[in-house]
Amino acid sequence: MTSYSYNYGFLDEQTKKEIRRKLLQAVAIPGYQVPYGSREMPIARGWGTGGLQITLSIIGKQDTLKVIDQGCDFSVNACNLRNFIAATTGNTVTTDTAEASIVQTRHRIPEEAMREDQILVFQVPYPEILRWVEPSERETRRMHAERDYGKLWVFLYEDIVRWGEITLSYRYPVLVNQRYAMDPSPIPRHDVPKLHQAETLFLFGAGREKRLYAVPPYTEVVPLQFEDYHFTVENFGGQPCRSCGSTSSYLNEVYDSETNERYFSCSDTSHCAKNSQGAIRHE
Amino acid sequence: MLSVSNLSKIYGSGCGLCLELTGPGVGSNICPKCHSIVACARIDLDVYPGEIVGIVGESGSGKSTLIKLLHFDQAPTSGYAYLQGFEDGQVDMFAVSNQKKRWLRNYQLGIVYQNPNAGLNMEFSCGGNIADKLIAADWYNYTRIRSRAAELLQKTELPVQRMDELPKRFSGGMQQRVQIAKALANNPPLLLLDEVTTGLDVSVQAQVLRLIRQIQSALQIAMVVVSHDFAVIRMLTERTLVMRNGRVVESGLTDQVMEDPHHPYTQLLINSML
């Protein structure tokens, strides 16, 4: 199905140009939130319009696209975005991370290690990590400008006081290139270390909040942690994925109400399928 | 160690004649021409190491504004200030970047406000409020932050076991002591106290004043104490400035000012004491 009434990639060329220009700025200042004129899209704001606009702005005829939602290629959000992009560009789509040149994601980084020639586009609901502690936008901008992140640290301190550990399970604050505190989008803690010194370019788009930011390849991305209370990733008690047997991937806990059984399975479905067939490039 | 000169703060547009048309001479700090408010006008102030300087005056005399200017809570209209611990007292601390001002605030200054809401984040625990100041001075070790906070609470005579409670559950006197603990966290050479005992009942007032004196004698911290209460000033300070309508109308040794006030306004203040 090819659309004759829309420009290639739905957005008009001026809009794409603006977004690309803002992306260049974002790459030049890793972790800094660049404001941009987020357009109305044929899906509601908050459903991935930020990531979608980035993808549509950077995609070219030769690109192969993959879209995931919490690691899954086949959820409603992923299917609709993928179908929309395919319909307005005519590009090839895939579910295989290794085959894709652009991966758009909601709340996960694929398990399979990504390469230099790939780009990962994140859909971001709340780009401002300081929103955990500060409601005023003017104030958070001042805090970023002055690298004043004390409040965020106290927030972590209070968490340890109350629970004996840092309980943030998603949107874990990271410091990019020793300068900007950044919201890594609601990826699980399991994925946060993958941002550090990665081969891949990471682009983040928040459509509703009209911000985009980036982590260029080989950039230092460090989770905020106290010297004596370290950042840790999720622990699944050594349980393997029931389908592929992986113990290193991020797992979902599944409850089967018919058999009354609890088990774990990979969140990244395409990785799980490939792993079952023994076709994975390991780091 | 602190030298302030010609410090002025005008709220409003200012017309160039504001400083001439206001002051104790005319009994007003509102400029009749442009209706700007002259909160502080051409204030000179010197503080020496380990000394306590008092600033006394009625409400609206500009004493709290002076403290806020010194703590960078507000920007002055004009004036200079030099602090010994900053660039060897050679650089005007009002002229530097916000980052440097923040450094000054975290490493060189401590402040205790009249209203604990202004100095404490009531959503953070008592220890968290102290941690805030320590983290600002690059403390990133949880255990060390905890032990330092406990030490400060002991020093300010607060029960250490209540460290993890929210300060909004504390009494006024305790909140004031949490503020003092926070202000002392990084051993600042200069402490600014703005009406610390106002609103506390007399016995608690006495406790807080005793605490301030103990800290001063033990740590040799210089302090600027603002109060409208001559009793507080007499108990704490060696030197005093009397302010009215944004001006310093009289200054000298506290005993001297109190026993032999020269300016009519000072005489009025002394005579009004209960």
Side-chain angles (χ1 to χ4, degrees):
Chain A
M1 153 185 158
T2 325
S3 166
Y4 297 100
S5 44
Y6 290 118
N7 187 28
Y8 174 79
F10 184 77
L11 295 169
D12 61 281
E13 291 305 313
Q14 275 313 109
T15 300
K16 292 188 198 170
K17 214 171 178 178
E18 187 223 342
I19 293 174
R20 280 183 219 130
R21 214 183 285 134
K22 296 289 165 68
L23 285 172
L24 285 177
Q25 190 185 347
V27 168
I29 318 171
Y32 172 72
Q33 299 167 50
V34 186
Y36 77 109
S38 179
R39 297 299 189 271
E40 286 288 339
M41 298 302 285
I43 56 168
R45 290 215 164 125
W47 290 79
T49 51
L52 182 61
Q53 287 176 77
I54 290 181
T55 303
L56 292 173
S57 302
I58 59 172
I59 198 166
K61 294 238 160 76
Q62 74 296 338
D63 278 312
T64 307
L65 177 79
K66 170 181 163 86
V67 183
I68 52 172
D69 172 3
Q70 306 237 20
C72 177
D73 291 274
F74 305 107
S75 80
V76 178
N77 187 262
C79 288
N80 283 331
L81 290 173
R82 184 172 51 235
N83 290 348
F84 174 74
I85 299 167
T88 54
T89 60
N91 273 41
T92 322
V93 294
T94 180
T95 58
D96 185 347
T97 306
E99 264 177 33
S101 59
I102 298 175
V103 180
Q104 182 175 329
T105 174
R106 173 175 176 268
H107 308 182
R108 270 315 305 277
I109 295 176
E111 297 292 349
E112 224 169 318
M114 290 181 72
R115 305 178 307 264
E116 256 178 6
D117 59 331
Q118 296 176 304
I119 296 176
L120 185 61
V121 179
F122 292 80
Q123 300 167 200
V124 182
Y126 306 103
E128 182 52 81
I129 191 68
L130 296 173
R131 205 60 80 217
W132 285 122
V133 291
E134 177 54 58
S136 155
E137 175 72 15
R138 174 185 287 200
E139 185 61 11
T140 53
R141 286 200 204 182
R142 182 199 63 74
M143 289 160 86
H144 279 300
E146 296 177 14
R147 201 171 175 275
D148 176 6
Y149 297 135
K151 258 188 167 176
L152 202 53
W153 282 96
V154 178
F155 180 68
L156 299 180
Y157 165 91
E158 294 278 290
D159 215 19
I160 301 175
V161 167
R162 217 162 293 157
W163 308 108
E165 59 171 328
I166 296 172
T167 57
L168 290 180
S169 55
Y170 62 99
R171 291 185 69 204
Y172 194 96
V174 292
L175 194 68
V176 180
N177 206 19
Q178 303 179 3
R179 178 60 183 82
Y180 282 100
M182 188 189 87
D183 186 331
S185 89
I187 54 175
R189 295 206 284 198
H190 177 89
D191 287 345
V192 171
K194 295 183 196 167
L195 293 167
H196 178 64
Q197 296 290 352
E199 291 178 30
T200 315
L201 169 63
F202 300 120
L203 302 175
F204 298 79
R208 182 181 50 201
E209 306 286 327
K210 303 185 173 70
R211 295 286 183 279
L212 46 84
Y213 50 100
V215 175
Y218 306 108
T219 302
E220 190 181 310
V221 179
V222 184
L224 298 194
Q225 55 188 346
F226 286 99
E227 286 161 10
D228 47 347
Y229 273 79
H230 289 280
F231 166 85
T232 52
V233 297
E234 287 84 353
N235 174 5
F236 301 101
Q239 297 248 40
C241 165
R242 195 164 82 160
S243 314
C244 74
S246 167
T247 49
S248 61
S249 57
Y250 185 72
L251 302 174
N252 290 332
E253 187 177 9
V254 184
Y255 174 65
D256 189 329
S257 60
E258 283 177 11
T259 61
N260 214 12
E261 197 186 355
R262 279 173 202 282
Y263 61 93
F264 288 93
S265 78
C266 282
S267 139
D268 187 335
T269 49
S270 99
H271 170 266
C272 190
K274 271 174 96 175
N275 203 19
S276 309
Q277 295 155 14
I280 285 290
R281 171 201 170 213
H282 283 287
E283 275 176 276
Chain B
M1 62 162 306
L2 172 73
S3 171
V4 177
S5 62
N6 219 5
L7 187 63
S8 299
K9 173 70 183 175
I10 299 172
Y11 294 102
S13 51
C15 62
L17 290 169
C18 294
L19 296 186
E20 277 70 40
L21 297 175
T22 58
V26 287
S28 164
N29 61 353
I30 301 173
C31 175
K33 205 162 164 228
C34 66
H35 305 295
S36 301
I37 295 168
V38 180
C40 291
R42 298 192 188 121
I43 307 263
D44 294 325
L45 168 69
D46 284 294
V47 181
Y48 299 96
E51 180 193 37
I52 306 189
V53 175
I55 298 175
V56 71
E58 63 189 357
S59 331
S61 60
K63 45 194 199 317
S64 287
T65 301
L66 177 59
I67 287 287
K68 283 178 185 146
L69 294 177
L70 291 178
H71 195 249
F72 309 109
D73 293 346
Q74 279 163 2
T77 311
S78 61
Y80 312 92
Y82 303 90
L83 195 63
Q84 194 54 49
F86 177 60
E87 311 278 357
D88 236 10
Q90 298 300 308
V91 178
D92 173 19
M93 66 184 204
F94 293 127
V96 298
S97 70
N98 280 351
Q99 254 146 323
K100 286 219 170 117
K101 283 179 186 164
R102 204 151 54 79
W103 181 87
L104 271 164
R105 207 183 309 168
N106 292 329
Y107 286 85
Q108 297 287 323
L109 303 172
I111 191 164
V112 181
Y113 295 94
Q114 175 179 0
N115 184 348
N117 283 312
L120 299 176
N121 186 332
M122 293 295 172
E123 302 305 314
F124 289 151
S125 69
C126 174
N129 272 291
I130 297 170
D132 189 18
K133 195 85 176 167
L134 292 171
I135 287 164
D138 295 322
W139 288 52
Y140 294 118
N141 186 306
Y142 179 80
T143 318
R144 281 185 57 219
I145 291 174
R146 299 281 292 173
S147 56
R148 173 70 178 150
E151 183 191 330
L152 286 160
L153 292 182
Q154 254 159 7
K155 209 177 273 181
T156 50
E157 296 171 4
L158 283 159
V160 175
Q161 64 269 30
R162 296 190 70 178
M163 179 152 105
D164 299 331
E165 273 183 52
L166 299 182
K168 63 181 169 194
R169 292 197 206 145
F170 286 11
S171 71
M174 286 170 80
Q175 289 180 346
Q176 224 44 328
R177 274 178 273 174
V178 178
Q179 270 208 90
I180 295 172
K182 180 180 179 177
L184 291 175
N186 294 322
N187 290 323
L190 179 64
L191 197 59
L192 307 169
L193 305 171
D194 186 3
E195 303 268 16
V196 274
T197 55
T198 312
L200 303 178
D201 59 60
V202 248
S203 58
V204 182
Q205 269 191 25
Q207 285 172 20
V208 171
L209 291 176
R210 184 172 56 90
L211 174 66
I212 292 169
R213 285 189 71 155
Q214 274 173 359
I215 289 166
Q216 200 269 338
S217 59
L219 305 173
Q220 288 298 310
I221 297 178
M223 301 187 191
V224 178
V225 178
V226 159
S227 182
H228 63 262
D229 185 350
F230 253 118
V232 171
I233 295 291
R234 178 155 60 185
M235 186 179 167
L236 289 179
T237 70
E238 288 123 39
R239 278 196 309 127
T240 302
L241 279 70
V242 183
M243 283 186 74
R244 192 181 194 204
N245 297 126
R247 269 55 169 198
V248 175
V249 293
E250 185 162 355
S251 63
L253 296 173
T254 305
D255 289 346
Q256 210 173 9
V257 171
M258 295 198 66
E259 299 304 328
D260 180 21
H262 284 203
H263 193 275
Y265 174 66
T266 318
Q267 292 168 357
L268 179 73
L269 269 185
I270 304 276
N271 289 333
S272 315
M273 273 174 71
L274 289 175

